Amino acid sequence: MEYNIVYDYIADKILNDINAGVLINSDLARELNKYPIIDQIRNQVQDNHFSAIARLVTDEASSREVRLFALCLLHKYIRNNTFGPQVKSLLYDIWKQGDTEEKFHVMWRLMDFADLEEPLHNEMFEFVKNNKELTLSKTLNWCGSEDKILDYAVSRLHNQSFPEAKAWIYLYIGSLSPNKTEARTLMSKYLDCRQSFVRKVANEMLRKGEL
């Protein structure tokens, strides 16, 4: 994303507050956990924020909105040799034990691990298909409106900070766009993807009558 001085200031303030143990308002956490401002905040996450962020994720005294916001901030630690294994274990536990809302949010962070096993990708694919309305609702909260869904999906597919194996979730998101012609074009581009599971999802989306 392009540099935004306002987002930069907000990101710095929020991360300092988190480290200082300042209580984050639930409504504020909900608004911060949206594209594009969340990208700016994640870009400014540092190693010294890890303990405070991880504490928010597991703190039952924190509101759901704050915990989900903190979950999103863990993205920065996925490829960190020090914190990565701890983050993966924490996320996996939430995926197995969490409720539907928690599962929806935690799966994004789990998919940031390039070595995530295909059976787990398949579990997540079945999960979003079985919770299509939730997926659409969260997507609209994230990107703003239906007409922005496809642009959002494409921007994520072109973002090299995400592993190629994660592309399937953005293809599925793209399939929710009302612009079915461009959605089909997008799916077609991934029929020869190096990742077998991404190819599988692209094929399945193209076979669906609604696309």
Side-chain angles (χ1 to χ4, degrees):
M1 64 173 287
E2 293 183 5
Y3 176 77
N4 183 304
I5 192 171
V6 176
Y7 290 172
D8 180 78
Y9 173 82
I10 293 172
D12 189 59
K13 176 69 166 66
I14 287 297
L15 291 170
N16 284 338
D17 283 353
I18 288 175
N19 254 14
V22 176
L23 182 66
I24 299 176
N25 178 275
S26 296
D27 292 335
L28 176 60
R30 185 184 303 112
E31 292 305 309
L32 293 174
N33 200 10
K34 292 181 180 179
Y35 175 82
I37 190 171
I38 188 64
D39 282 356
Q40 182 70 47
I41 301 172
R42 291 194 301 202
N43 284 342
Q44 292 180 220
V45 168
Q46 302 296 327
D47 285 0
N48 66 311
H49 297 127
F50 177 74
S51 296
I53 292 172
R55 186 164 58 248
L56 280 181
V57 171
T58 57
D59 184 7
E60 294 185 1
S62 299
S63 69
R64 176 188 291 272
E65 289 79 9
V66 170
R67 294 199 307 273
L68 296 180
F69 170 59
L71 263 176
C72 203
L73 298 183
L74 290 175
H75 169 74
K76 190 66 172 281
Y77 302 109
I78 299 300
R79 297 172 185 168
N80 185 300
N81 291 333
T82 301
F83 302 118
Q86 185 177 340
V87 170
K88 189 175 186 180
S89 177
L90 170 63
L91 296 177
Y92 187 75
D93 286 345
I94 297 173
W95 171 255
K96 288 301 182 184
Q97 301 171 17
D99 59 30
T100 299
E101 178 111 358
E102 290 170 332
K103 283 176 177 286
F104 181 85
H105 284 268
V106 80
M107 71 177 186
W108 296 89
R109 298 288 67 80
L110 276 170
M111 283 187 285
D112 287 334
F113 286 94
D115 61 349
L116 196 67
E117 301 83 358
E118 185 167 315
L120 195 48
H121 277 289
N122 194 62
E123 277 185 44
M124 294 171 180
F125 184 39
E126 294 302 317
F127 173 81
V128 294
K129 288 192 296 181
N130 292 334
N131 293 278
K132 182 177 179 178
E133 293 304 317
L134 172 67
T135 304
L136 177 58
S137 173
K138 294 295 186 182
T139 299
L140 292 176
N141 286 342
W142 189 265
C143 63
S145 60
E146 286 190 344
D147 63 302
K148 295 179 180 177
I149 290 177
L150 204 58
D151 286 343
Y152 165 70
V154 170
S155 72
R156 285 323 212 200
L157 286 165
H158 291 166
N159 189 330
Q160 295 185 358
S161 71
F162 299 112
E164 190 176 19
K166 190 179 182 180
W168 72 263
I169 185 61
Y170 297 117
L171 291 181
Y172 182 79
I173 293 297
S175 78
L176 302 177
S177 168
N179 190 335
K180 299 307 180 187
T181 299
E182 290 192 16
R184 287 185 63 85
T185 299
L186 178 63
M187 302 303 143
S188 298
K189 292 178 179 177
Y190 285 83
L191 293 176
D192 296 321
C193 179
R194 290 178 300 177
Q195 297 287 334
S196 61
F197 193 75
V198 176
R199 295 198 305 271
K200 171 186 172 181
V201 172
N203 271 290
E204 181 168 330
M205 292 297 99
L206 283 171
R207 288 199 308 270
K208 291 170 69 70
E210 61 200 68
L211 253 191

